[in-house]
Amino acid sequence: IRVEARYNGDLVAASLPGAVRLTAQPEWYGRLSSVLSAAGSFGALPASPVYGGEAFALQVFGHTGGFALETWWVFIEIDGSLLEFVSFIQSDKFNGVSFTSEELASGIIRLGFNAVGTKGSTRPEDVTGTAVPLVVLTLRFASDVTPSVYSGILSVFTRQFINPGSNPFVSDLAGVVVDSSSGANGGPLGSMQVRGVSDVALFAYTQAGTLGNLAPLTGEAGTYPITVV
């Protein structure tokens, strides 16, 4: 693949051979409403790699099975040896979310999110659907993590979904996660690729704007340092 930049039809820059690679978008990308076929919850990870120490978002959605969602309670379990929880933003259709964090065996951290009731301005149709936004988590990999593909880094679990009639319609159900390598319907565990940092020269300069050629006078070759930033 060759990428060219042109100005007034004239070629002004082009990529080096092999420097650009196209990656197909995942099957689920742009079709989140089709991830689940029945009531439950699922998470969506970024479709592109991240760097160690870089924050990224995990979006959590609910399939309400035709009901309006009044109250929900989900767990996100992350591998604490690789991932760090940073913050979360909840859907503005529900009352304030209660948050819990618990360390389980083998370094797994369970993050709990529970919203009881909807806001007065929320309509039933706002919280009914196959991909109703619940919460967005900000996570990040440890800064010293080795570049690689990491599988099984997190999971999503529905503790309970309750409709406006106070009837639970989902209880204790494992969810799925869609990521860069998953199919249209995701899998039980999420995976991500951590990319290594590469040094790229953005600008180079010499200490002087003019480099004198004194060899004809001195008979010696001149050297000039170049700084790259």
Side-chain angles (χ1 to χ4, degrees), residues 20-40:
V20 178
R21 182 180 63 183
L22 293 181
T23 302
Q25 67 183 23
E27 293 180 56
W28 55 267
Y29 198 83
R31 295 185 287 273
L32 290 174
S33 60
S34 301
V35 171
L36 294 182
S37 58

Side-chain angles (χ1 to χ4, degrees), residues 49-162:
V50 296
Y51 296 98
E54 178 184 2
F56 63 91
L58 168 68
Q59 302 177 76
V60 182
F61 301 89
H63 185 311
T64 69
F67 295 104
L69 184 59
E70 178 76 9
T71 293
W72 55 268
W73 186 7
V74 298
F75 291 136
I76 312 298
E77 293 187 356
I78 65 174
D79 185 340
S81 66
L82 296 171
L83 297 176
E84 174 189 358
F85 170 72
V86 179
S87 62
F88 73 90
I89 300 175
Q90 71 167 87
S91 165
D92 61 2
K93 304 301 181 184
F94 300 93
N95 292 329
V97 165
S98 297
F99 168 70
T100 60
S101 178
E102 176 186 6
E103 186 170 352
L104 307 178
S106 304
I108 300 299
I109 298 175
R110 174 181 288 172
L111 307 172
F113 302 88
N114 180 208
V116 179
T118 57
K119 292 185 176 179
S121 58
T122 300
R123 301 169 300 172
E125 55 266 34
D126 295 333
V127 289
T128 304
T130 58
V132 175
L134 303 180
V135 63
V136 179
L137 284 67
T138 299
L139 306 169
R140 65 178 165 222
F141 277 92
S143 58
D144 58 351
V145 69
T146 302
S148 183
V149 175
Y150 291 92
S151 302
I153 59 172
L154 59 81
S155 62
V156 178
F157 185 86
T158 307
R159 177 65 182 88
Q160 200 164 63
F161 281 178
I162 300 175

